[in-house]
Amino acid sequence: MKLALLATALNLAAFACLRIAFLWTFGNLASSPGELLQAFYLGFKFDLRLAVLVSSPLIVTAWLPLLDPAQRRAARRFWLAYFAAAFAALLLAYAADFGHYAYTSTRLHGGALEHLTPADVALRMVWESYPVVWVLIGVAWAAGVFGWLLHRASPPPAAPRRARGRMAALAGLAALWLLCLAALWGKLSWYPLRWSDSYFSQNPFVSALALNPVLFLADTLDERRRPFDEDKVHAHYGEVAALLGMQRPDPGRRSFARYVAGSAASPARPPNLVLIHLESFAGFKAGALGNPSGATPHFDALAKDGMLFTNFFVPNSPTARSVFTMLTGVPDYHPGRSASRNPLLVRQHTLINALEGYERYYFLGGSASWANIRGLLTQSIHDLRVHEEGDYAAERVDVWGVTDHDVFEQAHTAFARSTGPFFAFIQTSGNHRPYTIPDTNRRGFELADLDAAALHAAGFDSLAAYNGLRFLDHAVGHFFDMARSARYYRDTVFILYGDHGNPAANDIPFERLALTRYHVPMLIVAPGRIAAGERRDTVASSVDLLPTALRLMGVPHLNQTLGRDLLAERPGAHRVALVPDGLLTDEYLLRLSPGGQAHLYAYRSKEPTKDVGTRVPERVQELRRLREGLYQTSLYLLHNNPPQPHEPPASYGAH
């Protein structure tokens, strides 16, 4: 029992030190001392639970003489090795959690494990982004110290106990089991201590501080959000259909299909469509949206040539979910993992197939096997030509393949050679850890230096991230310099959008509202079709990208999901965007806490982080109902968006 108690105490002390290190590394100075103390109190209880769980094999089996470290040297050596190995495994989990939080500002969770596939890509990214060797050396050293301390502190085996002594020992062991059960339960309540107890604060960092990362990962490993509730889909059908502007709603079939007529006069040559997916381009980092760092001069210049959407959001992150959402018009809220990783969901209806007679391209610097994107794109888009690693003359520079410059240059070459109208999806990936910038052939790009204070003021967490975005922006500028000299330029609709955002290093309102991960820039450049220099501040979503593009191009199509034409006139109350656990309108952000409590923020006001829900309770209920309807409909459409022809069946009304 003494060895188990010593191991529990050592683990508990180590977990406390790691929690202090977490606070020191990621601490939010705006956090109140009272909330931090509460977080440490809850964290101590979570840590105690984990420490007891680690010791439980010994606690449960120590009454067996063969496994009693107090009687047998072999048993003692076994348990010392077990505790050292367990401590090493825990430290590796903590290291992964620290790295994950540094990148996403969220603790490591089961859903994040989707990034471990394909394994070779994940391992190369980790190897190129983090000091793996030093981490492993540190873990091995710490595990050795842990085992040595246990060895020194625990007594050597004693002579076999007499019967009376053994009975007393068993009674003590039973008492210890009861104490362990109390520690595992965690509180004096009908329900045990759960990870949701950590969400007592509106400050995301405080909640993260209270969690134990290992337990949180274990709690979410098999987490699967409940599937769509068919009754709720039916109950909300009317209001969702009205929001989509359906002229012939069909609640019996729960169909959201509506036919969108094209332009009366067809152009002599149908316009091309190029979607440019900008990796990790958060809205707060764009100069055109107010960032002072000068990281995006080429994008900012392009914004003067087109229409910039300043209040544009993606429904979810990371990249795989963003791609699925753009392609289908269905917010990817697939439980546990991105929908592209579900082989049953790779055949989806997409408006791209309405572009009849078009050449269709996909450009990616790395492998299209990533996140099963190849399956999703090739199964959903007819006659798609995939350009991936191995198709470029340039050499790969890191785990993400060739540089974005190489990708854009190959795309430009394909466009210049095209003899008919074309569609292209260009997916950039370089603005991502490890932020590799080659030593040669930078096309005139030069690294910039920015001091720590300026980086922090601009929201960047590192100089590498700052130059990574600059390198992406330079590639975009390089592409448009080439495009403007080509004949396809004036016949093309270009749409540029951030695939998702990321946390801001400074304390801006959108960071406090947890919106920086979903707020991204979106820009339409369409010579002769869009007025130069126009800004749209109305709320918009990435589900709307393809419907907007096809309506602008005058292409008739069948739309059966949540996407809508952003250029169409509609009431302000009908302009909405989903985010995880929330909904945005032009005026309000509705956010639902893990416990289901609703909060309402006038996020574009002078007090954007103040909860104003008590002032307009009827608005809270209205938005809460609408959010539930859109969320349940999104889950429903993931499984009910079959490919359909784009001709106008008689049952569909023109939109």
Side-chain angles (χ1 to χ4, degrees):
M1 285 193 296
K2 187 172 183 180
L3 181 60
L5 290 173
L6 286 170
T8 301
L10 279 176
N11 273 318
L12 191 58
F15 301 156
C17 291
L18 288 166
R19 193 174 302 280
I20 293 171
F22 184 87
L23 175 63
W24 180 268
T25 305
F26 306 111
N28 187 336
L29 298 179
S31 306
S32 72
E35 288 187 336
L36 292 178
L37 287 174
Q38 176 73 359
F40 266 91
Y41 168 68
L42 287 172
F44 170 82
K45 296 202 290 185
F46 282 116
D47 292 346
L48 179 60
R49 174 183 287 175
L50 178 60
V52 168
L53 286 171
V54 172
S55 299
S56 60
L58 174 56
I59 295 171
V60 171
T61 63
W63 64 276
L64 297 172
L66 184 65
L67 296 175
D68 188 353
Q71 296 188 55
R72 294 182 178 272
R73 292 185 182 276
R76 183 170 181 268
R77 287 194 294 268
F78 169 81
W79 287 115
L80 288 175
Y82 160 78
F83 282 118
F87 187 71
L90 292 172
L91 282 184
L92 285 174
Y94 269 86
D97 175 72
F98 270 55
H100 187 267
Y101 193 90
Y103 188 49
T104 67
S105 290
T106 57
R107 305 308 292 256
L108 186 63
H109 54 85
L113 298 184
E114 65 183 78
H115 300 302
L116 296 180
T117 56
D120 59 330
V121 172
L123 289 173
R124 287 201 303 270
M125 193 276 284
V126 171
W127 178 263
E128 294 172 8
S129 300
Y130 301 97
V132 176
V133 174
W134 286 110
V135 169
L136 293 177
I137 291 173
V139 167
W141 176 84
V145 170
F146 187 92
W148 178 81
L149 289 173
L150 272 184
H151 170 76
R152 297 285 297 175
S154 60
R161 299 187 183 95
R162 289 174 293 183
R164 183 180 180 86
R166 182 176 296 279
M167 293 301 296
L170 288 175
L173 192 59
L176 180 60
W177 288 347
L178 291 175
L179 290 175
C180 289
L181 289 175
L184 293 174
W185 194 259
K187 61 181 182 178
L188 297 174
S189 171
W190 182 256
Y191 297 104
L193 179 71
R194 292 173 174 167
W195 60 264
S196 56
D197 291 307
S198 298
Y199 292 87
F200 65 91
S201 170
Q202 292 297 306
N203 187 330
F205 172 76
V206 172
S207 298
L209 179 64
L211 291 168
N212 178 285
V214 177
L215 292 179
F216 186 66
L217 176 60
D219 285 339
T220 58
L221 274 178
D222 294 324
E223 180 185 7
R224 295 292 182 268
R225 290 190 180 182
R226 59 178 181 166
F228 62 88
D229 186 321
E230 215 160 337
D231 291 336
K232 289 185 177 180
V233 174
H234 182 75
H236 292 281
Y237 179 85
E239 60 191 300
V240 173
L243 185 74
L244 298 177
M246 295 183 62
Q247 295 182 359
R248 297 183 183 179
D250 187 353
R253 294 195 303 129
R254 296 186 184 88
S255 171
F256 296 92
R258 60 268 188 206
Y259 182 75
V260 181
S263 300
S266 299
R269 185 183 189 279
N272 312 305
L273 174 60
V274 176
L275 299 178
I276 302 178
H277 168 113
L278 301 172
E279 171 66 40
S280 301
F281 191 9
F284 72 88
K285 293 183 176 181
L289 271 63
N291 191 284
S293 68
T296 60
H298 299 284
F299 182 87
D300 302 342
L302 276 174
K304 298 177 182 178
D305 294 334
M307 178 183 292
L308 178 66
F309 287 77
T310 64
N311 211 26
F312 188 86
F313 296 86
V314 295
N316 210 346
S317 63
T319 300
R321 295 186 186 274
S322 182
V323 172
F324 187 96
T325 297
M326 179 281 298
L327 177 72
T328 65
V330 180
D332 183 358
Y333 291 122
H334 185 269
R337 55 180 181 168
S338 61
S340 67
R341 288 176 165 90
N342 186 336
L344 300 178
L345 300 182
V346 295
R347 292 189 73 248
Q348 296 281 334
H349 181 79
T350 175
L351 301 192
I352 295 169
N353 290 326
L355 301 173
E356 296 181 357
Y358 278 60
E359 298 175 9
R360 297 169 180 143
Y361 300 97
Y362 171 59
F363 295 91
L364 176 69
S367 171
S369 296
W370 156 83
N372 197 37
I373 290 299
R374 183 198 312 277
L376 173 67
L377 295 179
T378 58
Q379 289 295 304
S380 299
I381 303 175
H382 302 161
D383 303 319
L384 182 68
R385 303 180 189 180
V386 176
H387 292 250
E388 57 180 321
E389 64 179 16
D391 297 326
Y392 299 89
E395 294 184 0
R396 61 182 300 142
V397 296
D398 61 15
V399 63
W400 306 119
V402 301
T403 69
D404 292 334
H405 285 84
D406 298 315
V407 174
F408 278 123
E409 286 178 354
Q410 183 137 329
H412 167 70
T413 299
F415 301 162
R417 292 174 178 172
S418 178
T419 57
F422 59 82
F423 160 82
F425 176 33
I426 304 175
Q427 183 178 343
T428 67
S429 57
N431 184 34
H432 192 294
R433 293 176 188 268
Y435 301 117
T436 302
I437 298 174
D439 295 327
T440 60
N441 198 20
R442 295 179 179 174
R443 286 80 165 179
F445 176 81
E446 296 293 337
L447 290 170
D449 193 13
L450 209 63
D451 61 54
L455 283 172
H456 183 269
F460 291 89
D461 59 7
S462 69
L463 184 60
Y466 174 66
N467 277 312
L469 179 58
R470 290 184 62 248
F471 195 53
L472 168 61
D473 179 74
H474 188 271
V476 170
H478 177 62
F479 169 69
F480 274 91
D481 285 343
M482 294 185 294
R484 289 189 189 97
S485 64
R487 61 182 181 180
Y488 69 81
Y489 177 74
R490 296 203 61 82
D491 294 324
T492 303
V493 173
F494 300 92
I495 297 184
L496 302 86
Y497 68 99
D499 74 320
H500 60 78
N502 36 42
N506 53 349
D507 192 32
I508 59 176
F510 268 25
E511 177 62 28
R512 281 178 273 156
L513 291 170
L515 287 177
T516 55
R517 299 154 186 79
Y518 315 111
H519 179 229
V520 297
M522 195 274 275
L523 174 65
I524 302 176
V525 178
R529 291 179 173 83
I530 289 289
E534 185 176 348
R535 292 171 67 99
R536 293 286 182 103
D537 297 324
T538 51
V539 74
S541 171
S542 57
V543 299
D544 305 319
L545 283 174
L546 286 175
T548 303
L550 266 61
R551 188 63 181 268
L552 180 63
M553 297 162 65
V555 177
H557 56 277
L558 176 68
N559 188 349
Q560 59 188 31
T561 57
L562 297 184
R564 300 176 297 166
D565 174 18
L566 293 175
L567 305 182
E569 293 295 330
R570 59 173 53 93
H574 282 196
R575 298 186 182 275
V576 298
L578 276 171
V579 292
D581 299 321
L583 179 74
L584 292 122
T585 69
D586 282 347
E587 186 176 5
Y588 293 116
L589 163 65
L590 173 78
R591 177 58 57 75
L592 302 177
S593 68
Q597 184 178 1
H599 305 275
L600 194 70
Y601 305 95
Y603 69 104
R604 297 167 72 180
S605 68
K606 294 181 179 179
E607 296 181 299
T609 60
K610 183 178 180 179
D611 191 338
V612 298
T614 55
R615 298 180 188 171
V616 283
E618 70 287 348
R619 190 68 169 136
V620 172
Q621 294 306 313
E622 176 188 343
L623 293 179
R624 183 168 189 159
R625 177 177 173 83
L626 180 58
R627 187 264 169 192
E628 180 68 9
L630 290 172
Y631 176 73
Q632 292 293 338
T633 302
S634 298
L635 291 177
Y636 170 79
L637 288 173
L638 283 176
H639 301 269
N640 294 274
N641 182 35
Q644 299 280 359
H646 283 271
E647 292 80 14
S651 58
Y652 299 126
H655 181 67

Short mmCIF file of all heavy atoms in Angstrom, two decimals, residues 24 41 128 133 142 175 252 258 323 355 401 412 495 527 546 559 607 609 654:
data_model
loop_
_atom_site.label_atom_id
_atom_site.label_comp_id
_atom_site.label_asym_id
_atom_site.label_seq_id
_atom_site.Cartn_x
_atom_site.Cartn_y
_atom_site.Cartn_z
N TRP A 24 1.61 29.18 -16.64
CA TRP A 24 2.75 30.04 -16.94
C TRP A 24 2.91 30.23 -18.45
O TRP A 24 3.21 31.32 -18.92
CB TRP A 24 4.02 29.43 -16.34
CG TRP A 24 5.26 30.23 -16.59
CD1 TRP A 24 6.14 30.11 -17.62
CD2 TRP A 24 5.76 31.31 -15.77
NE1 TRP A 24 7.15 31.02 -17.52
CE2 TRP A 24 6.95 31.78 -16.40
CE3 TRP A 24 5.32 31.90 -14.60
CZ2 TRP A 24 7.70 32.82 -15.86
CZ3 TRP A 24 6.08 32.95 -14.07
CH2 TRP A 24 7.24 33.39 -14.70
N TYR A 41 -8.56 24.29 -7.97
CA TYR A 41 -9.26 23.37 -7.06
C TYR A 41 -9.88 22.21 -7.84
O TYR A 41 -9.70 21.04 -7.49
CB TYR A 41 -10.34 24.14 -6.30
CG TYR A 41 -11.31 23.25 -5.55
CD1 TYR A 41 -10.90 22.50 -4.44
CD2 TYR A 41 -12.64 23.15 -5.96
CE1 TYR A 41 -11.80 21.67 -3.77
CE2 TYR A 41 -13.54 22.33 -5.30
CZ TYR A 41 -13.11 21.60 -4.21
OH TYR A 41 -13.99 20.78 -3.54
N GLU A 128 8.76 17.66 -38.18
CA GLU A 128 9.27 18.91 -38.74
C GLU A 128 8.85 20.13 -37.94
O GLU A 128 9.42 21.21 -38.12
CB GLU A 128 8.80 19.06 -40.19
CG GLU A 128 9.38 18.01 -41.12
CD GLU A 128 8.76 18.03 -42.51
OE1 GLU A 128 7.98 18.95 -42.80
OE2 GLU A 128 9.07 17.11 -43.30
N VAL A 133 13.05 14.79 -30.64
CA VAL A 133 14.14 14.08 -29.96
C VAL A 133 14.31 14.60 -28.54
O VAL A 133 14.43 13.82 -27.58
CB VAL A 133 15.44 14.22 -30.76
CG1 VAL A 133 16.61 13.61 -29.98
CG2 VAL A 133 15.30 13.52 -32.12
N ALA A 142 12.79 12.10 -17.12
CA ALA A 142 11.81 12.31 -16.06
C ALA A 142 11.26 10.99 -15.54
O ALA A 142 11.06 10.81 -14.33
CB ALA A 142 10.68 13.20 -16.57
N ALA A 175 -10.01 0.03 3.50
CA ALA A 175 -10.20 1.45 3.78
C ALA A 175 -9.61 2.30 2.65
O ALA A 175 -10.19 3.31 2.23
CB ALA A 175 -9.57 1.82 5.12
N GLY A 252 -43.14 16.79 -46.20
CA GLY A 252 -43.32 15.34 -46.16
C GLY A 252 -42.03 14.61 -46.50
O GLY A 252 -41.66 13.64 -45.83
N ARG A 258 -34.38 23.48 -54.24
CA ARG A 258 -35.01 24.56 -55.00
C ARG A 258 -34.15 24.81 -56.24
O ARG A 258 -32.91 24.77 -56.17
CB ARG A 258 -35.19 25.83 -54.18
CG ARG A 258 -33.93 26.45 -53.64
CD ARG A 258 -33.57 25.97 -52.25
NE ARG A 258 -32.46 26.71 -51.68
CZ ARG A 258 -31.65 26.22 -50.76
NH1 ARG A 258 -31.80 24.99 -50.31
NH2 ARG A 258 -30.67 26.96 -50.27
N VAL A 323 -13.41 22.24 -46.25
CA VAL A 323 -13.53 21.79 -47.63
C VAL A 323 -14.89 21.14 -47.87
O VAL A 323 -15.57 21.42 -48.86
CB VAL A 323 -12.39 20.81 -47.98
CG1 VAL A 323 -12.62 20.19 -49.36
CG2 VAL A 323 -11.04 21.53 -47.96
N LEU A 355 -21.83 23.05 -63.68
CA LEU A 355 -20.98 23.70 -64.68
C LEU A 355 -20.72 22.72 -65.82
O LEU A 355 -19.64 22.14 -65.95
CB LEU A 355 -19.66 24.15 -64.03
CG LEU A 355 -19.81 25.14 -62.86
CD1 LEU A 355 -18.47 25.40 -62.20
CD2 LEU A 355 -20.43 26.45 -63.35
N GLY A 401 4.18 19.22 -49.02
CA GLY A 401 4.48 19.10 -50.44
C GLY A 401 5.25 20.29 -50.98
O GLY A 401 6.12 20.86 -50.30
N HIS A 412 -1.85 28.19 -63.14
CA HIS A 412 -1.84 29.21 -64.20
C HIS A 412 -1.52 28.59 -65.55
O HIS A 412 -2.16 28.92 -66.57
CB HIS A 412 -0.82 30.30 -63.86
CG HIS A 412 -0.52 31.22 -65.00
ND1 HIS A 412 -1.42 32.14 -65.48
CD2 HIS A 412 0.59 31.33 -65.79
CE1 HIS A 412 -0.89 32.80 -66.49
NE2 HIS A 412 0.33 32.33 -66.71
N ILE A 495 -12.78 33.54 -56.38
CA ILE A 495 -13.25 33.67 -54.99
C ILE A 495 -12.14 33.19 -54.07
O ILE A 495 -11.68 32.05 -54.18
CB ILE A 495 -14.53 32.87 -54.75
CG1 ILE A 495 -15.66 33.41 -55.63
CG2 ILE A 495 -14.93 32.91 -53.28
CD1 ILE A 495 -17.00 32.75 -55.40
N PRO A 527 -13.74 40.56 -62.88
CA PRO A 527 -13.70 41.72 -63.79
C PRO A 527 -14.95 41.81 -64.66
O PRO A 527 -15.37 40.84 -65.29
CB PRO A 527 -12.46 41.42 -64.66
CG PRO A 527 -11.61 40.54 -63.80
CD PRO A 527 -12.57 39.70 -63.01
N LEU A 546 -20.59 28.63 -53.24
CA LEU A 546 -20.96 28.15 -54.57
C LEU A 546 -22.29 28.72 -55.06
O LEU A 546 -22.39 29.10 -56.24
CB LEU A 546 -20.98 26.62 -54.59
CG LEU A 546 -19.60 25.95 -54.58
CD1 LEU A 546 -19.73 24.44 -54.49
CD2 LEU A 546 -18.79 26.33 -55.83
N ASN A 559 -30.22 23.57 -56.01
CA ASN A 559 -29.61 23.73 -54.69
C ASN A 559 -30.49 23.00 -53.68
O ASN A 559 -31.68 23.29 -53.57
CB ASN A 559 -29.49 25.21 -54.34
CG ASN A 559 -28.70 25.45 -53.08
OD1 ASN A 559 -28.39 24.53 -52.33
ND2 ASN A 559 -28.38 26.71 -52.83
N GLU A 607 -19.62 47.35 -26.79
CA GLU A 607 -19.40 46.38 -25.71
C GLU A 607 -19.66 44.97 -26.26
O GLU A 607 -20.64 44.32 -25.91
CB GLU A 607 -20.31 46.67 -24.52
CG GLU A 607 -20.05 48.00 -23.84
CD GLU A 607 -20.97 48.23 -22.66
OE1 GLU A 607 -22.20 48.27 -22.87
OE2 GLU A 607 -20.46 48.36 -21.54
N THR A 609 -18.44 42.01 -25.81
CA THR A 609 -18.39 40.79 -24.99
C THR A 609 -19.37 40.82 -23.82
O THR A 609 -19.33 39.95 -22.97
CB THR A 609 -16.97 40.57 -24.46
OG1 THR A 609 -16.58 41.69 -23.66
CG2 THR A 609 -15.98 40.40 -25.60
N ALA A 654 -38.90 27.67 -59.31
CA ALA A 654 -37.76 28.55 -59.60
C ALA A 654 -37.54 29.46 -58.42
O ALA A 654 -38.47 29.92 -57.77
CB ALA A 654 -38.03 29.35 -60.86
#
